[in-house]
Amino acid sequence: MNELGMFEDIVLAGAAQQNLAKVAILYSESADIWLSPIGTAGAAKRSLYLTLRHAQIPIDVVNEEDCVRGSLNHYAVLFIVDPQVSEEAVTAIGGWVNR
């Protein structure tokens, strides 16, 4: 068996574990359309993720569609690093903040 086969045996049959994170980082597909993820915003997002992980804070990554679907309801904190976010997601995030 080669290394790829071992990887597939482990990962393919695996299931995501729910860690009940209360903190999330927004991954904005809109920002990826307008900006390169290699620049400042990409570095800020990666640095934030590493900082939270080193602080041993469970964290999820959510996208704009998750926000629109109402998936923010169990989070206490949402970090938004990207300068562009879709109008639908902004509206959903505003509603989450007000609640």
Side-chain angles (χ1 to χ4, degrees), residues 54-75:
H54 282 286
Q56 299 181 5
I57 297 172
I59 185 163
D60 289 337
V61 175
V62 296
N63 62 24
E64 293 161 307
E65 190 176 307
D66 293 330
C67 297
V68 172
R69 277 196 309 253
S71 299
L72 296 177
N73 293 335
H74 74 276
Y75 294 106

Side-chain angles (χ1 to χ4, degrees), residues 43-93:
K45 203 179 327 182
R46 289 188 300 275
S47 298
L48 174 61
Y49 178 82
L50 288 174
T51 299
L52 294 169
R53 293 299 299 156
H54 282 286
Q56 299 181 5
I57 297 172
I59 185 163
D60 289 337
V61 175
V62 296
N63 62 24
E64 293 161 307
E65 190 176 307
D66 293 330
C67 297
V68 172
R69 277 196 309 253
S71 299
L72 296 177
N73 293 335
H74 74 276
Y75 294 106
V77 176
L78 175 66
F79 287 97
I80 303 172
V81 178
D82 297 310
Q84 286 86 16
V85 179
S86 72
E87 279 189 52
E88 296 86 7
V90 168
T91 301
I93 293 166

Side-chain angles (χ1 to χ4, degrees), residues 2-66:
N2 64 25
E3 289 179 31
L4 182 58
M6 292 175 62
F7 176 80
E8 287 176 351
D9 291 342
I10 294 168
V11 175
L12 188 59
Q17 295 182 9
Q18 190 176 19
N19 65 6
L20 301 177
K22 295 291 183 190
V23 176
I25 295 177
L26 178 64
Y27 167 74
S28 171
E29 293 172 357
S30 296
D32 277 357
I33 292 169
W34 289 96
L35 299 171
S36 169
I38 297 171
T40 305
K45 203 179 327 182
R46 289 188 300 275
S47 298
L48 174 61
Y49 178 82
L50 288 174
T51 299
L52 294 169
R53 293 299 299 156
H54 282 286
Q56 299 181 5
I57 297 172
I59 185 163
D60 289 337
V61 175
V62 296
N63 62 24
E64 293 161 307
E65 190 176 307
D66 293 330

